[in-house]
Amino acid sequence: MECQGEVIAGLRAAFHTGVTIPLEFRLTELKGLLALMEENEAQILDALHRDLRKPKFEAAISEIEIVRNDICFAINNLKTWMLPEYVGTNLATKFDDCFIQRQPFGVVLIIGAWNYPLQLILLPLVGAIAAGNCALLKPSEISQATEALLAELIPKYLSKECYVVTCGGAEDTRRLLENRFDHIFYTGSQAVARKILLAAAVHLTPVTLELGGKTPCLIYGRIDMKTAAKRLVWAKYFNAGQSCVAPDYILCTKETQDALLPAIREALEAFYGPDPQKCPDVGRIVTDKHWNHLMDLLGKSKGNVTIGGESTQEEKYIAPTVLVDVDETDILMQEEIFGPILPILTVETLEEAITFVNAREKPLALYVFSDEPQVVTTVLESTNSGGFCANDGILHMTLPTLPFGGVGASGMGCYHGRYTFETFSHKRACLLRSWGLERIGALRYPPYSDTRLSWLRWATTTKKSSCSIM
Amino acid sequence: MEKQAVDCARKAFLSGRSRPLQFRLQQLHALHRLITEKEAEIASALKQDINRSQFDTPLFELIGLENDINLAESSLADWAAPRSAKKNLLTLSDQVYTQAEPLGVVLIIGAWNYPWALTLQPLIGAIAAGNAAVVKPSELSKHSASLLKELLPQYLDQELYPVVTGGVPETQELLRQRFDHVFYTGNSTVGKLVMEAAARHLTPVTLELGGKSPCYIDKDCDLSVACRRITWGKFANCGQTCIAPDYILCEPGIQDRVVEEIQRTLLEFYGEDPKSSPDYGRIINQHHFDRVIALLEGSTVTVGGKNNREECYIAPTVLRDVSPHARLMQEEIFGPVLPIVPISGVDEAIRFINDREKPLALYVFSQDKKVIKRMLSETSSGGVTVNDVIMHYTINSLPFGGVGNSGMGVYHGKHTFDRLSHHRACLIKSLAMESMNQVRYPPQNAAQLKRAKFFMLTRLCSCARFTCVWAVLATMVALGLLVALLVVLLKDTPV
C-alpha cells in the first residue's frame, strides 16, 4: 500500500489550492463520474458478477442506475444547492445580510462496503464532489473485483490530485484512521464503527455511520397476501439477502403465517423457478467465510426450515430459506442475518410485535405490511427506525429526495441526493453588518442603563406570533 | 446518583409523555416563566460567579433564550409536522415524507462563561424535539449551577429533565451512561474525551468548542466604528466568550490608530478605572487568572495590564506588535487581553488564518467588497460576522456551531430542533397498483430492465431543465387553447 500519509498530504495540498471550489470544476468531475458509469457498464457488471454473482438486473438497478440517477440529480441541482441561503433577521439587523454559506470540509475519507460495492462508495463520493471536497476512497477488500476496477477507473475519469482510491485490508484501514480527515463516511458494521468513532475523536473529525441491525417486518391485519409476499420476497432475497435494509425477520400471528407461507412459495417459484440454484437471477454469498457463518447459524437454529434450506459450498449458494417456530432466544435472532434466511416469529397481537421491536436496538429500516391504514399508523407512531416503509421493502432508499441513514445503533447522519451534499458541507453562518445605524448599535455598549436595555430588548426580541383575530 | 437520574429520565421518556406537542409547549412555557420570574435571582448568581453586571444578564443570557423559546412555541407545530419529499413515477400515488422524531435521552453539558444561555438553549431544542434531557451545568459557575438545580424542578417535569451537578468525577460517571445524543459546550481537550466516551455507545455528539477567533481590520474601513464594536465584543464578560475576537490582524500603518481608538472606547465604556466600573466583569477563578497572566509572558503591554489576583481582576489589556510565536498566540486567550499581530495585507492575513485551526468565529472589518468576498471564500470558520463581532450568534435563524477543531454540529432556533431529532424517511405504499411493480420482479430480461429503469429511477423529480421545458410547453399549450377558445367565442357572437 502506498504511503498513506503522503497520499493524504497530497489531497490536502490539492484542496488548499482551491481547485475544487468553483461550480464548473465540480460539474466537470460529476460528469466524469457519469461517463465512468456509462462507458464501463460491461466491466462493472462483470466485476459485480465475479464478486457476488450479482444478477444483471440487480446490478443494473441497484449499482449502476441508482448512482447515475444521483449524479444527474446533483448535476441538475448543484447550482441551487451552492447558493447562499438567506434567512430572517430581527429589527436590529434589518439592513444586514444574513445567510448560510455552504463550505466543503476539506479531505474526506469514504469507506465502502462489499454488498453493494459500487453504490456504497460512489453515492457518498457524488456528494463529496458536489460539496467541493477532496476524497480518499477505501473500497472493501472483500469485493475484490470491484475494488480493482475502481482503482483502475477512478483515476481515468476524475482528477487524480483530488480523488484517490486506496486499497488494503483491515490493518491498512486501521493505520489510515490514524491520519486526520475532515469527515469520515463509513458503511459497515457496528463493531468497526466504534473503532472509527474512537479514531475520529482524536482529531475531532465528524463522522457519518451507515450501519445495520435487524430490520423487523411486521405483517398484520387484513392483507392482500399474494402482493405482500411478492414484495417481501423481492426485498428479502435481493442480493441473496445481503442488504442492510433487507427484512431480517418477520413478526406475525399464526393465522397470518399460515396464509403467508404458501404465498411466499408461490412468489419464489414465480421469481426463481423450481430450482433457484440454476436461476441467473439468484445471487451468491460473498465469501466462503460468510457462507460458513450463515450455514452455522442455520445449523444451530432451533427453528424449522419450511422453505428452502439447500446449499452448495463450492458455489457459496444458499437457497431462499424460510424458518418457522423461531423464538427470540434463537441464534438467528442474536445478530443481523445478512443472508437469504428468513425466520418467522409468531405473536398474538400487534402490541406484542411492537413491544418486541421496541425492546431491541433501533433498526436501520422497519417494514409493516397491512391493508389497514390504522395498523400502519400505529406501528409508525409506536416505533423508531432509520427509515420506514409500509407495504414494501427497500424502496424508501431508492428515492434521492428521502434521507437515508440510521438512528441509535443503526447509525448517525444520512445521505442520498441533496442530503449527501449537506453531509459533506459545513453550514457557515454569515452576517454582513452595515456600517450605519451605529446609534442603534450603541444601545448594547456600556455604561449600561435601564432605558438602553429596554430599547435593546425591543429591537432584538423575536415576538411570539399572536393573532388576536383567530 | 448519576446513573439513577439517567435511568429515571429514560423511563420517563419511554412512557411517551414528552412526545405530545401540547406537553412540549407547556414545558417551554414553564421554562419561559422561570427565566422571567427569576431574573433577579439569576442575576445575583451570575454576579457571585463572574461579577456579571445586572444588565449583562438579560443582554447576554436571557434575551437570546426568550427569543428561542418564543420561536419554538410559535413554530413547533410546523417543525414537528411531516415534511413531504418529491416522488418518482413508481411512488407517485404513495406518501413520501420525513417525520421528525425525538432521539430519546439527551445529555447537555453546559459551560461556565454563559452558564444559563449555554445550558438552557440546547434544552429548549431538546424539549421542542420531544426528548428527555439530563442537564449538567458547569461546576465552575457554582452559584448558577446550584440555582439551576433548585429552580428547574420547580418549573419543569422533574423526571424528564433532571439537573445533575458536580465536578469531573460526576461528569465522567455521566458519560459512562448511554445517551441518545450528547451536547457539549467547552474546550477541545474535553471535547475529544466526550466524543470518545460517546463512541463506546455509538452516540452522536454536538460539540461547541472554541479556538482563536481572528479579527482582520482592513486599512480601508471606518476605524472608529470598527474599534468600538471590537472593544465591546472583546471585553464583554471580561473576554470570556467563545466567539470573542481573540486577536487582531492589521497592517502596521493603522496599528497606532487601532490602539488609540480602542483606548478611547475603553475609557468611554468603563471609565478611568475599569475595576470600579459596575459593567466590567472578573475572571471566573484564580486558576484561569493565572493562565491568562502567564500568556502575557514575553510580550509587552501597550494598554492596561493592571491586575489583582485576589479579585481575579485583569484590566482591559492590549498589546501591539505581537509575534505569531508569542505565548499569547498559541492557545485561545479567553480573557480581556487583545494582541495585535501586524501583517502586510489581506493576502498575508488569509494565509495566517488558513495556517491555523479553523476558528469558531471569524471577523472582517472592511469597506472594500472585494476584500470581504475574498475573506469569505478563501477561509473557513464556524461563523462570520463582517464589520462587527459576535452578532451572528444573536440571530436564531442562523446555525451556530464550529468546524474542524472548533466543533461539530449546529444549533439555535430550528437548528437545535433538527439537531436533536431523527428525521425518519417514510414511504407509505398501498398493496394496490401492483401491475407497475411487476417490472422489478424476476425472471428478468432486457426489456423489463428498461421499463424498470423508467419507473423506478426516473429523473422526473430532479430535472430542473425538464421542469423548465415542461413549463414552457404547458404555457404554450394553454395559450393556444385560450386563443382557440376566444376565436370560437368571437366567431359565434352575433354581429
Side-chain angles (χ1 to χ4, degrees):
Chain A
M1 200 181 185
E2 64 283 76
C3 177
Q4 295 171 344
E6 271 171 27
V7 167
I8 297 163
L11 286 168
R12 208 167 276 297
F15 180 74
H16 281 305
T17 64
V19 69
T20 57
I21 308 295
L23 172 66
E24 296 69 37
F25 176 86
R26 305 183 201 189
L27 288 175
T28 305
E29 295 301 311
L30 287 172
K31 286 175 184 154
L33 194 59
L34 191 60
L36 184 160
M37 300 302 293
E38 289 174 345
E39 291 169 16
N40 298 282
E41 196 166 309
Q43 288 102 300
I44 291 171
L45 292 174
D46 176 64
L48 291 166
H49 198 262
R50 279 189 283 141
D51 281 331
L52 285 143
R53 223 199 86 146
K54 211 173 261 236
K56 184 173 172 197
F57 178 85
E58 289 188 7
I61 289 288
S62 69
E63 300 267 24
I64 299 177
E65 280 308 301
I66 195 170
V67 175
R68 280 179 57 186
N69 211 42
D70 216 58
I71 300 172
C72 291
F73 192 73
I75 291 174
N76 289 338
N77 294 289
L78 187 52
K79 192 169 179 193
T80 313
W81 296 350
M82 283 173 67
L83 289 173
E85 181 190 340
Y86 284 87
V87 299
T89 55
N90 56 26
L91 210 61
T93 47
K94 258 299 174 271
F95 296 106
D96 307 326
D97 275 339
C98 251
F99 57 92
I100 303 171
Q101 175 197 27
R102 277 149 174 92
Q103 290 188 304
F105 285 118
V107 177
V108 307
L109 171 64
I110 301 171
I111 303 176
W114 54 259
N115 53 334
Y116 292 88
L118 214 66
Q119 184 215 116
L120 297 177
I121 201 158
L122 293 187
L123 280 185
L125 179 60
V126 171
I129 295 174
N133 299 280
C134 287
L136 182 61
L137 303 181
K138 166 67 188 70
S140 170
E141 70 280 11
I142 294 173
S143 41
Q144 288 175 353
T146 314
E147 183 197 32
L149 188 63
L150 280 167
E152 180 203 326
L153 292 180
I154 292 279
K156 274 197 190 144
Y157 287 84
L158 300 188
S159 156
K160 290 189 191 58
E161 288 75 36
C162 298
Y163 314 106
V164 174
V165 178
T166 182
C167 303
E171 181 51 31
D172 298 301
T173 309
R174 195 199 57 75
R175 276 188 297 116
L176 195 59
L177 288 164
E178 287 168 8
N179 294 280
R180 183 179 182 182
F181 294 95
D182 301 303
H183 193 102
I184 298 176
F185 191 109
Y186 170 73
T187 305
S189 75
Q190 286 171 20
V192 175
R194 274 191 193 87
K195 294 187 187 144
I196 290 182
L197 255 185
L198 284 169
V202 172
H203 300 289
L204 285 172
T205 301
V207 302
T208 302
L209 302 174
E210 295 278 328
L211 311 177
K214 293 184 77 57
T215 295
C217 179
L218 281 65
I219 307 180
Y220 196 83
R222 193 184 69 246
I223 189 167
D224 172 357
M225 196 57 83
K226 186 167 172 188
T227 305
K230 276 160 76 178
R231 296 182 185 184
L232 169 63
V233 162
W234 180 81
K236 174 66 186 187
Y237 300 107
F238 197 91
N239 204 30
Q242 296 161 117
S243 309
C244 43
V245 286
D248 188 276
Y249 64 97
I250 291 178
L251 287 168
C252 65
T253 62
K254 183 83 180 41
E255 294 71 43
T256 305
Q257 181 185 269
D258 291 339
L260 179 63
L261 289 170
I264 290 180
R265 278 193 195 91
E266 198 184 316
L268 283 171
E269 173 99 28
F271 288 1
Y272 308 125
D275 187 0
Q277 190 168 2
K278 296 200 174 72
C279 175
D281 294 321
V282 173
R284 296 291 183 266
I285 306 306
V286 68
T287 66
D288 292 315
K289 184 172 164 209
H290 289 82
W291 184 91
N292 283 327
H293 179 69
L294 285 168
M295 292 310 296
D296 188 53
L297 288 180
L298 207 49
K300 291 187 177 141
S301 169
K302 294 201 185 72
N304 291 315
V305 174
T306 184
I307 297 173
E310 300 88 6
S311 59
T312 312
Q313 185 160 23
E314 308 82 68
E315 277 195 38
K316 292 174 282 183
Y317 167 75
I318 299 177
T321 301
V322 180
L323 292 93
V324 295
D325 305 323
V326 177
D327 73 26
E328 60 179 315
T329 62
D330 197 279
I331 194 170
L332 281 173
M333 292 306 292
Q334 306 317 310
E335 58 180 81
E336 189 176 358
I337 295 169
F338 227 69
I341 298 166
L342 180 60
I344 303 180
L345 285 78
T346 48
V347 291
E348 305 273 311
T349 61
L350 185 62
E351 285 65 40
E352 196 187 322
I354 290 172
T355 307
F356 187 92
V357 167
N358 287 341
R360 284 156 178 73
E361 292 292 350
K362 294 175 193 174
L364 183 56
L366 199 147
Y367 303 120
V368 61
F369 284 84
S370 182
D371 270 322
E372 294 175 44
Q374 197 45 51
V375 168
V376 171
T377 309
T378 305
V379 176
L380 179 59
E381 290 175 1
S382 321
T383 60
N384 289 107
S385 61
F388 179 90
C389 187
N391 294 320
D392 216 320
I394 302 190
L395 279 201
H396 65 287
M397 61 98 68
T398 66
L399 280 160
T401 49
L402 280 179
F404 178 64
V407 64
S410 53
M412 56 179 80
C414 63
Y415 73 126
H416 283 190
R418 187 177 189 164
Y419 293 98
T420 331
F421 172 84
E422 296 286 323
T423 289
F424 285 113
S425 300
H426 165 56
K427 292 207 263 282
R428 191 193 205 185
C430 298
L431 173 58
L432 273 57
R433 294 268 289 151
S434 74
W435 285 100
L437 297 180
E438 184 57 3
R439 274 188 185 270
I440 298 192
L443 287 172
R444 57 188 158 152
Y445 300 150
Y448 298 127
S449 72
D450 275 317
T451 327
R452 270 193 176 181
L453 184 60
S454 45
W455 274 109
L456 199 66
R457 268 206 142 102
W458 178 79
T460 54
T461 309
T462 307
K463 307 279 181 294
K464 222 164 58 167
S465 44
S466 54
C467 195
S468 52
I469 299 170
M470 304 242 196
Chain B
M1 199 223 106
E2 288 77 32
K3 183 168 189 316
Q4 226 179 334
V6 178
D7 289 342
C8 187
R10 188 164 293 286
K11 193 161 168 225
F13 175 75
L14 289 171
S15 76
R17 71 172 181 278
S18 64
R19 300 176 86 119
L21 292 192
Q22 218 28 59
F23 178 85
R24 305 183 205 183
L25 288 169
Q26 183 206 66
Q27 295 296 302
L28 288 171
H29 194 68
L31 191 59
H32 202 167
R33 279 191 302 114
L34 187 163
I35 293 167
T36 36
E37 288 169 15
K38 301 292 175 186
E39 187 175 324
E41 286 88 333
I42 293 173
S44 164
L46 283 166
K47 179 111 184 107
Q48 292 176 280
D49 280 330
I50 201 169
N51 201 45
R52 184 73 67 72
S53 92
Q54 171 204 358
F55 298 98
D56 276 348
T57 294
L59 190 58
F60 292 137
E61 303 260 12
L62 304 186
I63 293 181
L65 286 175
E66 286 177 60
N67 279 347
D68 241 34
I69 295 174
N70 283 340
L71 181 67
E73 283 180 315
S74 60
S75 309
L76 188 56
D78 256 332
W79 294 353
R83 300 175 200 178
S84 61
K86 289 206 188 117
K87 316 176 195 184
N88 60 16
L89 263 184
L90 191 65
T91 49
L92 214 52
S93 59
D94 306 322
Q95 294 172 56
V96 176
Y97 60 93
T98 58
Q99 176 64 59
E101 295 182 348
L103 292 172
V105 182
V106 177
L107 171 62
I108 299 171
I109 302 176
W112 54 260
N113 54 334
Y114 294 91
W116 296 85
L118 298 177
T119 312
L120 295 184
Q121 201 154 4
L123 180 61
I124 294 167
I127 295 174
N131 299 290
V134 174
V135 179
K136 165 68 185 69
S138 170
E139 68 280 15
L140 261 60
S141 43
K142 57 180 191 277
H143 298 95
S144 294
S146 52
L147 183 63
L148 187 65
K149 188 163 169 86
E150 180 199 322
L151 290 181
L152 212 67
Q154 286 175 25
Y155 287 81
L156 300 190
D157 185 304
Q158 294 183 28
E159 289 171 343
L160 282 169
Y161 317 110
V163 178
V164 175
T165 50
V168 170
E170 286 80 8
T171 311
Q172 284 172 334
E173 184 55 35
L174 269 179
L175 286 166
R176 275 192 268 276
Q177 311 309 314
R178 184 178 180 184
F179 293 93
D180 300 294
H181 195 101
V182 176
F183 193 112
Y184 169 77
T185 305
N187 67 61
S188 310
T189 311
V190 177
K192 288 178 188 175
L193 297 172
V194 170
M195 192 170 166
E196 205 185 301
R200 297 199 169 84
H201 298 290
L202 285 175
T203 299
V205 301
T206 301
L207 302 175
E208 295 279 330
L209 310 176
K212 292 182 79 58
S213 295
C215 180
Y216 172 69
I217 308 179
D218 193 35
K219 63 181 188 300
D220 178 14
C221 81
D222 184 337
L223 278 178
S224 164
V225 172
C227 291
R228 285 183 94 210
R229 295 177 178 185
I230 292 168
T231 307
W232 168 76
K234 174 69 183 186
F235 298 104
N237 207 34
C238 212
Q240 296 160 115
T241 307
C242 46
I243 45 169
D246 188 277
Y247 63 97
I248 289 177
L249 293 170
C250 70
E251 289 180 35
I254 55 165
Q255 209 180 181
D256 284 339
R257 258 211 76 198
V258 167
V259 172
E260 224 177 86
E261 291 292 343
I262 294 177
Q263 208 164 6
R264 190 206 314 249
T265 311
L266 283 170
L267 198 62
E268 183 196 323
F269 286 1
Y270 307 116
E272 292 271 356
D273 179 24
K275 191 135 144 321
S276 49
S277 160
D279 300 324
Y280 190 69
R282 297 289 181 269
I283 302 298
I284 182 80
N285 59 27
Q286 283 176 346
H287 163 77
H288 279 277
F289 173 93
D290 293 337
R291 180 188 63 78
V292 176
I293 295 293
L295 291 177
L296 291 170
E297 188 195 310
S299 301
T300 316
V301 168
T302 310
V303 174
K306 284 209 192 107
N307 58 76
N308 180 315
R309 194 171 189 266
E310 253 127 67
E311 292 189 49
C312 291
Y313 167 76
I314 301 179
T317 303
V318 183
L319 301 90
R320 49 176 294 156
D321 293 311
V322 175
S323 152
H325 306 292
R327 273 198 75 170
L328 267 176
M329 292 304 294
Q330 304 318 311
E331 60 180 78
E332 187 176 358
I333 295 167
F334 225 69
V337 173
L338 180 55
I340 305 176
V341 178
I343 40 84
S344 57
V346 69
D347 286 331
E348 197 189 336
I350 291 174
R351 265 197 312 273
F352 191 96
I353 292 166
N354 287 342
D355 277 345
R356 287 157 177 75
E357 293 293 345
K358 293 174 191 175
L360 184 55
L362 176 78
Y363 302 115
V364 183
F365 285 84
S366 178
Q367 269 156 333
D368 185 344
K369 287 202 169 88
K370 284 203 212 74
V371 166
I372 296 171
K373 192 165 180 221
R374 279 196 66 193
M375 271 287 178
L376 283 181
S377 55
E378 293 176 41
T379 65
S380 184
S381 61
V384 183
T385 297
V386 174
N387 298 330
D388 209 329
V389 297
I390 309 223
M391 297 301 288
H392 63 284
Y393 178 95
T394 66
I395 299 174
N396 59 14
S397 49
L398 283 175
F400 181 73
V403 64
N405 239 44
S406 52
M408 56 181 81
V410 293
Y411 76 125
H412 283 191
K414 182 171 187 259
H415 304 286
T416 329
F417 175 89
D418 283 338
R419 186 78 185 160
L420 298 178
S421 299
H422 169 57
H423 297 276
R424 190 185 199 184
C426 298
L427 171 58
I428 316 289
K429 288 179 77 66
S430 83
L431 287 165
M433 313 246 317
E434 181 61 358
S435 49
M436 278 231 277
N437 261 328
Q438 302 295 340
V439 289
R440 69 190 216 220
Y441 299 144
Q444 282 299 339
N445 56 54
Q448 202 153 297
L449 174 58
K450 211 168 162 186
R451 279 202 297 278
K453 282 184 192 180
F454 180 73
F455 278 113
M456 282 180 69
L457 297 167
T458 190
R459 297 154 184 50
L460 187 70
C461 54
S462 61
C463 262
R465 227 175 295 132
F466 185 74
T467 317
C468 203
V469 167
W470 246 119
V472 170
L473 279 174
T475 313
M476 283 168 60
V477 167
L479 280 171
L481 284 170
L482 183 64
V483 167
L485 180 66
L486 284 171
V487 165
V488 164
L489 286 173
L490 289 170
K491 203 170 159 204
D492 286 343
T493 312
V495 174

